[in-house]
Amino acid sequence: MSKFPVRSRLACLTLALAALAAMVPQGFADTPNRRVLIRDITSVEGVRDNMLVGYGLVVGLNRTGDTQQTFFTVQTLANAMQKMGVLISPAQVTVKNVAAVFITAKLPPFARPGATLDVTVSSVGDAKSLVGGVLLMSALHGPDGQIYAEAQGPLVMGGYVAGSGSNGKEVNSTTVGSIPNGGLVERDTSVDLHGFKTVSLLLRNPDFTTAKRIADAVNEDFHKPVASVLDATRVDVNVADAAASSVPLLISRVQNLSLSVSTPAKIVINERTGTIVLGGDVKLTPVSVIHGNLSIEVSTTYTVAPIPGAGSGFIERERDRGPGGPQNAPGNPNEPSNPAGQGGQGGQGQGGGFDRSVVSTPTATLVPQTTVAVNDAPAQTMRLDEGANVEELVNGLHAIGTTARDVVAILQAIKAEGGLQADLEVQ
């Protein structure tokens, strides 16, 4: 039996939405602002991580490495052996305990030579598993091609494989692993903060109101205008006007200031999973929702039906003629058949004729029978008054029997009508 609903049904997600709405405090709508630290909603321009990538070999695998078809693995192994003073021909090497991998890592903004990094190792070829492998020393390059770190060590895997073939079981990925503290910084990339004349704070979520509140909080703390709003993303703090003894102390003082941040009125919808995330200050204008439920159910059953004229039958097949058999052409009406398989004179057992064999054919077959049932439920109506919030909307939609996917369609319709005072983002 298969169903093709016009409006998909996921009642469990609707219950989850109602539970989330019930968890919101009673006074949340009256106090939408919350106090946060500046360091939690901003970052300092120029102080960031840098991406590193490298290529290397993982050895010590239990016959789960790259196969002979992955030629670059054997070539890399030959080059590594050559550096060790051993010359081998890549065409004559067959190993299954080696795998070619890419290594990735993040270089912190104030990393000094000798600091350690966590690295991630990912298979490049057709290796089945990297479990039990050890990464040989590999260089990690930055975007400019320079070497900034080295990586080496045994892999820590988050998955495993048990058994083989149809009886095997694989949990998580066995071709991606990590090496905690497996990278070692070789080049100094620290940022010199003492040369900063302006400290630029970058908002993680651009907002003009939040940017203004950050500037106001900084100016109030210093009792003079030292911060200015450049746009919805950036707030500049003048180092000279702040008269701070050092830039790091200035940044620390600014980042520990608190301010009030408004929760954005936003609804995020994932149509693939039916997930809906609602902001705390979403308001609706007066709107009526009429919801109907139409479903089409298609069921297929199979019955056994006889095949007319089916059963056992005979098939005649002409037998090859021997050298001593009759010279009449096949199918000559003047030549009698020889069912016993006897040939003509001088060629017994090799003469012409026909063989008759019994062939059985199926007497019944499966015949599909398809039925279609249409269920059109009566439409349900819901009315929302001025200033209705998300909790009232979810409770009302749940009361008329809607599911999470229905809520997605209804929210999109309310937004198009202009009754939803929030930003609707569909992923």
Side-chain angles (χ1 to χ4, degrees):
M1 180 178 295
S2 59
K3 295 183 178 181
F4 301 90
V6 175
R7 296 181 179 178
S8 304
R9 299 178 176 179
L10 288 175
C12 59
L13 288 177
T14 303
L15 295 176
L17 288 174
L20 287 175
M23 292 172 62
V24 178
Q26 296 295 330
F28 188 83
D30 298 331
T31 58
N33 298 344
R34 54 191 176 91
R35 304 289 297 185
V36 298
L37 297 178
I38 292 181
R39 66 185 179 189
D40 295 331
I41 59 176
T42 63
S43 60
V44 179
E45 185 179 18
V47 180
R48 62 180 182 87
D49 295 336
N50 291 279
M51 302 298 177
L52 302 179
V53 65
Y55 173 81
L57 289 177
V58 171
V59 299
L61 304 176
N62 186 14
R63 302 181 64 85
T64 58
D66 294 335
T67 60
Q68 194 70 16
Q69 285 78 7
T70 311
F71 62 90
F72 53 82
T73 302
V74 180
Q75 184 178 4
T76 305
L77 178 61
N79 295 338
M81 297 294 289
Q82 184 177 2
K83 293 181 180 180
M84 299 294 178
V86 180
L87 297 179
I88 60 175
S89 175
Q92 300 177 353
V93 177
T94 302
V95 292
K96 296 183 179 180
N97 60 346
V98 179
V101 294
F102 273 126
I103 308 106
T104 57
K106 287 184 179 181
L107 184 65
F110 299 101
R112 305 282 183 177
T116 59
L117 306 172
D118 295 339
V119 300
T120 302
V121 181
S122 306
S123 174
V124 181
D126 56 356
K128 297 179 181 179
S129 174
L130 299 180
V131 175
V134 176
L135 174 68
L136 298 182
M137 185 175 62
S138 306
L140 300 181
H141 302 266
D144 56 357
Q146 300 293 327
I147 298 177
Y148 289 90
E150 302 282 348
Q152 180 174 279
L155 273 65
V156 177
M157 307 299 297
Y160 65 90
V161 176
S164 61
S166 59
N167 296 327
K169 181 180 181 180
E170 181 176 352
V171 178
N172 298 330
S173 176
T174 58
T175 55
V176 178
S178 63
I179 307 177
N181 298 326
L184 194 64
V185 178
E186 299 291 349
R187 186 186 295 266
D188 188 0
T189 60
S190 59
V191 181
D192 185 12
L193 297 177
H194 297 284
F196 281 26
K197 296 182 179 180
T198 301
V199 175
S200 298
L201 303 176
L202 304 180
L203 277 72
R204 295 189 175 94
N205 296 315
D207 183 71
F208 284 103
T209 301
T210 304
K212 180 181 180 302
R213 290 178 179 177
I214 291 176
D216 293 342
V218 174
N219 293 334
E220 182 180 357
D221 185 72
F222 284 87
H223 304 289
K224 56 182 177 179
V226 298
S228 59
V229 179
L230 188 64
D231 51 38
T233 308
R234 180 172 174 175
V235 177
D236 288 343
V237 179
N238 191 291
V239 176
D241 294 342
S245 57
S246 66
V247 176
L249 294 179
L250 173 63
I251 295 176
S252 174
R253 180 177 176 179
V254 170
Q255 286 186 336
N256 284 279
L257 297 178
S258 64
L259 69 153
S260 177
V261 178
S262 300
T263 303
K266 189 174 184 179
I267 299 177
V268 181
I269 297 174
N270 191 321
E271 288 189 319
R272 297 186 301 272
T273 61
T275 304
I276 305 173
V277 179
L278 308 167
D281 193 27
V282 179
K283 296 294 184 181
L284 298 98
T285 57
V287 64
S288 297
V289 178
I290 300 177
H291 171 70
N293 195 2
L294 173 66
S295 64
I296 301 176
E297 180 178 337
V298 181
S299 60
T300 303
T301 59
Y302 294 89
T303 59
V304 179
I307 300 178
S312 300
F314 294 94
I315 295 180
E316 291 186 348
R317 180 177 57 191
E318 184 177 4
R319 186 168 52 249
D320 296 337
R321 298 177 180 273
Q327 301 301 319
N328 293 7
N332 192 333
N334 297 326
E335 178 184 0
S337 61
N338 189 1
Q342 300 297 328
Q345 294 180 357
Q348 293 183 359
Q350 300 180 0
F354 293 90
D355 288 336
R356 176 174 294 181
S357 59
V358 180
V359 178
S360 298
T361 58
T363 60
T365 186
L366 294 177
V367 178
Q369 293 183 353
T370 303
T371 58
V372 179
V374 180
N375 181 20
D376 191 4
Q380 302 289 335
T381 305
M382 183 189 68
R383 172 71 181 177
L384 293 177
D385 297 328
E386 179 72 29
N389 55 24
V390 177
E391 182 178 1
E392 296 175 0
L393 173 63
V394 172
N395 292 337
L397 293 177
H398 179 64
I400 64 176
T402 58
T403 62
R405 299 239 183 223
D406 294 332
V407 173
V408 171
I410 291 173
L411 288 175
Q412 290 176 333
I414 295 177
K415 178 65 176 179
E417 186 270 340
L420 183 61
Q421 308 304 320
D423 184 17
L424 186 62
E425 178 180 340
V426 181
Q427 297 179 348

